Each structure stands twice: as structure tokens, then as C-alpha cells.
Amino acid sequence: MRIPRDRSFDASLAMLMDGYRFIGRRCRRYATDIFETRLMLRRAVCIMGGEAARVFYERDRFTRRGALPVTTLKLLQDRGSVQTLDGAAHRRRKEMFLSLMAPDAVERLAMLMAREWRARIPVWERGGEIVLLPEVQDILCRAVCAWAGVPLDDTEARMRTREFAAMIDGAGAVGPRNWRGMLLRARTERWARAIVQAVRAGRLDPPPGSALAVIASHRDDEGRPLDVAVAAVELLNVLRPTVAVALYIVFAALALHQHPGWAARVRAAVQTGEDAELEAFVQEVRRFYPFFPAVGGRVLREFTWHEHRFAPGAWVILDLHGTNHDPRLWDEPQTFRPERFLNRRPGACDPVPQGAGSHAKGHRCPGEWITIALMKEALGLLATAMRYDVPEQDLRIVMSRMPAVPRSRFVLRNVRTSVPAVPAA
């Protein structure tokens, strides 16, 4: 069957201009979940929707190798990382990451973030105005490094935060943002390699079970330790994505500001320990606001979907943002409505902000539990540990910018510590 083909000879410029909406707009234009186009002069098949997500994340159907531009791969994963592996090698490496995600370990990371955040509030009180995004990035960098067993002094923490932030900001860009991210990534990799080498030489003794200890000692199916460069990449693949959660936390703060009714409900949920409303709010932030626009794969074994034959090696791009806003899956998808998750548990393929399918057997992001825990903790801090004003600012989210973020990065003014209410006598 001949699937619709995008009218342009090459849609690379259109993808940069449309950003997160590129695939969704064309699926609506052609009344389909699948169409063909050219990106960077290469043939690509774009797909969208819950069924497309199930197809894309079926075990051992796709490889991530050759599915991302080299600069994006370098900033987000890099060669030799878990996402570039397939089959048994991928599953063994994935087990290493999943071993770090036990509930008590995730809770400890959230508590470390809360400790850093509370220590920062008095500084913010003296600062007049603060920009939330870089502040939260710094908090998360310090917290995740402490959690991972990576030593950092204050100067190093500021340096690493700048590097991780540049990688995140440059991953979806073409030009100076991407070049800066690439330049700083090289410096970060040298630092990470030195840390892994120090552990293996006995000069550094990270806590047992910490990310640094686990990655430095991990062995493959043949009993060989990871190459130092690969171990450094995997360490960064724990640290950098955690810093990226700052984007979601800023979107959560924006949602509290723009939806005061739900802000009151979140505050009450934190104070009473009612997790259902907090969970619903977090899931809707993850569904509604832009994070990863799409994910690419190369077909490993031939299959047919929508009467289209997918040949081995074919480049396929799944629209994550469009699937999270698909009206067939979501009632009023362009409206922020956390209540939709009060009576609906997230499924394997809805929503898909960090991938779909199985965490253990597929390529779904193993850090999803960390993301949710950190967002909940941050909401509690924003709602009950501090008070602040939100001055006039440019809160527009430009959907052609990847990653998207409010233009102002969310400015707070007149921050002060929240004083607990004293019960009436």
C-alpha cells in the first residue's frame, strides 16, 4: 500500500520550523497515522498514536543505532550507551540501570533534592528575583551527584551544571546551541572518565550500590568490565537526564501559576499526604507540556503495519508529543486537566513522554520513576515550603524550539520561607 508522502522534497527546514508539531500536523493533513517524508535527504516514515507506540516499542523490532543525527546522539546518549544496544546486550545493560531504581533509592534522591532546595530558599530570599530553571538545574546536579556517589565541590557543581544544561539545551538545536553543547560535553566526558578510573584504581571509594560503584564495576556477558569511555558515558546517562527533569519542574511551576484551582488542590494534597491528586497533576504535566518531541528507530526485522511494508534498515520516527495530544486517546487534549488521571491509570502506551512499552525489556526510559518522584517532591516544596510572587514576564512556550521552555525560564520574585499555620487554640 502506498502511504501518503509529504509534498516537500526535503522537510528538514519544515521540521525545524514546526518543531513538536511537525508530525502531528501532517498526520491531520493526510488523515493518517503514517506518512513518508525526507529529512536531511534521507527517507523517513513518521508515525503517531497509541497503536503506533505499541508497534514501535515491540521488543527487538527496532534498533536505535543510526536513528538520530550524530550531534543529537552525542549529546543525549553517545555511542556504546544502553540505548544503542540491542537484544541480550541491551537487556543486560538495562538491568544495571534498573538496579539503581529501587523505590528506596528513588526516595533517597528525592530527599537529597529537597535538602538542596530548602537550603537554597534563604539565598533566594536575599536575591530579589530568581530564574527558576537554572536554579533547579543546579539543585538537581548537586543532588544526583551526591546520590550517585560522585564527589563535587561547589566550583565543580556550578561547572557541571552548566555543562549538563548545555547538553540538554543543544540536543534539539542546529547551530550555536548545539555547538556549545558538544564542546562542553567533551569536557564533561573527560571528567567522568577520570572518576571511573579513580574508582577502578582504588583512589575513590563510592558507596556500595551507588550509580558510580555499580557502573564502574559492571561486567558484560563475557565477564569483561565496561570500557572506561563507555562507563563514563553511562554515568553521564544517569546524571544528565536527572538534571533535565528541571524542565518538567518548571512546567509544573507554570501549571500551578496558571491553574490556581489546581494549585490549591496540590497544596492540600501535600499537606494531607493524599497522593492521588499529586500523581494526577504530575502525569498531566508530563502529558501536556513538551519534553521529547519524538524518538527514532531503524527496523531490525521486516513487518507490515497499515498495509505498509517496513523493510530492514528503514528509518521510522514516532511522534511522542503528538501521541500525548491525540484526541482519540485524550478528551480535550489541548486542555490542561489533571482530573483525567484520577480515574485513569497511565498505560504502557499512554501517555508516552519518556517512551512506551516495558521498562525492563524494551527501550522505555528507566529514569521515569525518578522523574515522577522528583516532580512530586518539587511540587510539595513549591506549594508548601515557600511563598513567592510571579512577576509579569514572557511565559510563552515556543513549540519550534527544542527543547521547549517558557521564554523567561520562569522568574520568581519576593521568595520567602513558608511559615506553617498555627492551629487555633
Side-chain angles (χ1 to χ4, degrees):
M1 176 182 175
R2 180 72 175 176
I3 61 175
R5 178 174 173 80
D6 196 22
R7 289 192 289 265
S8 60
F9 171 74
D10 186 275
S12 301
L13 181 59
M15 189 173 194
L16 289 174
M17 294 178 64
D18 286 345
Y20 288 82
R21 298 184 172 122
F22 172 77
I23 296 177
R25 280 178 172 170
R26 282 150 185 81
C27 283
R28 288 190 295 275
R29 179 186 301 165
Y30 305 128
T32 182
D33 287 342
I34 176 173
F35 68 91
E36 183 181 313
T37 188
R38 282 187 180 272
L39 298 169
M40 297 174 289
L41 301 178
R42 294 187 296 168
R43 180 183 174 189
V45 176
C46 299
I47 60 177
M48 189 191 84
E51 184 185 350
R54 282 188 289 275
V55 167
F56 188 86
Y57 278 91
E58 184 172 319
R59 180 173 168 176
D60 297 333
R61 175 169 275 174
F62 286 89
T63 179
R64 300 300 185 266
R65 294 193 307 272
L68 286 174
V70 173
T71 53
T72 301
L73 172 67
K74 182 76 174 173
L75 291 176
L76 287 183
Q77 291 291 333
D78 212 350
R79 294 179 177 89
S81 70
V82 62
Q83 289 286 12
T84 64
L85 301 177
D86 300 304
H90 173 264
R91 287 187 282 276
R92 180 167 177 80
R93 189 80 63 81
K94 191 71 170 286
E95 287 173 1
M96 178 189 76
F97 280 92
L98 291 173
S99 73
L100 305 173
M101 307 299 165
D104 58 337
V106 173
E107 182 179 359
R108 179 171 174 268
L109 176 54
M111 292 302 101
L112 287 169
M113 185 202 73
R115 185 178 70 186
E116 291 285 346
W117 189 302
R118 290 181 184 277
R120 197 67 58 91
I121 294 176
V123 179
W124 294 342
E125 287 180 320
R126 299 190 296 270
E129 283 190 351
I130 63 124
V131 182
L132 190 61
L133 178 59
E135 291 289 331
V136 176
Q137 287 172 331
D138 187 76
I139 287 169
L140 289 175
C141 180
R142 293 168 190 265
V144 73
C145 285
W147 177 80
V150 175
L152 278 186
D153 61 28
D154 191 59
T155 300
E156 282 186 316
R158 291 195 294 270
M159 184 182 301
R160 300 287 91 86
T161 298
R162 285 196 299 272
E163 292 165 3
F164 290 135
M167 291 180 218
I168 296 159
D169 198 48
V174 174
R177 279 198 291 135
N178 184 272
W179 302 336
R180 181 172 184 269
M182 292 285 287
L183 180 66
L184 293 181
R185 167 93 192 201
R187 187 170 73 182
T188 318
E189 286 189 349
R190 290 194 296 270
W191 166 77
R193 287 195 295 269
I195 290 174
V196 171
Q197 289 170 327
V199 173
R200 291 180 174 176
R203 299 190 304 272
L204 181 61
D205 186 22
S210 65
L212 177 56
V214 169
I215 292 170
S217 62
H218 181 74
R219 294 180 179 271
D220 62 21
D221 288 333
E222 298 179 5
R224 297 173 302 191
L226 294 176
D227 178 83
V228 169
V230 173
V233 163
E234 297 296 38
L235 178 61
L236 297 184
N237 286 338
V238 171
L239 306 180
R240 186 205 63 257
T242 304
V243 176
V245 176
L247 293 169
Y248 268 143
I249 291 173
V250 167
F251 284 134
L254 176 63
L256 289 175
H257 171 63
Q258 293 182 333
H259 303 276
W262 263 100
R265 292 175 69 164
V266 166
R267 189 176 303 111
V270 173
Q271 291 169 338
T272 62
E274 176 53 57
D275 189 63
E277 298 234 327
L278 201 58
E279 176 81 17
F281 192 88
V282 164
Q283 294 295 357
E284 181 68 348
V285 169
R286 295 175 68 235
R287 182 203 71 82
F288 181 77
Y289 290 99
F291 195 58
F292 285 117
V295 61
R298 292 278 182 179
V299 176
L300 282 173
R301 51 188 172 87
E302 182 179 322
F303 70 96
T304 300
W305 182 64
H306 274 234
E307 301 182 46
H308 175 74
R309 174 182 169 270
F310 289 79
W315 186 23
V316 180
I317 302 173
L318 170 67
D319 184 0
L320 298 176
H321 182 76
T323 300
N324 285 337
H325 293 78
D326 187 342
R328 296 166 300 178
L329 295 174
W330 312 99
D331 183 35
E332 298 182 41
Q334 302 302 329
T335 302
F336 184 80
R337 291 179 49 200
E339 56 269 25
R340 73 176 81 242
F341 285 104
L342 290 175
N343 297 306
R344 171 181 181 162
R345 292 182 61 83
C349 297
D350 59 327
V352 292
Q354 291 170 270
S358 168
H359 290 95
K361 298 178 181 179
H363 282 271
R364 187 168 186 161
C365 177
E368 198 164 10
W369 299 306
I370 281 178
T371 300
I372 293 169
L374 292 175
M375 290 178 69
K376 287 182 178 180
E377 193 67 34
L379 279 169
L381 292 160
L382 287 164
T384 64
M386 55 189 278
R387 291 177 293 163
Y388 53 87
D389 301 325
V390 179
E392 288 291 322
Q393 58 191 283
D394 191 348
L395 293 173
R396 288 176 296 170
I397 299 170
V398 180
M399 300 297 285
S400 60
R401 188 190 195 279
M402 297 179 285
V405 66
R407 282 190 169 182
S408 65
R409 275 60 170 173
F410 206 69
V411 176
L412 305 183
R413 180 183 294 164
N414 193 24
V415 176
R416 56 268 193 210
T417 302
S418 183
V419 179
V422 178

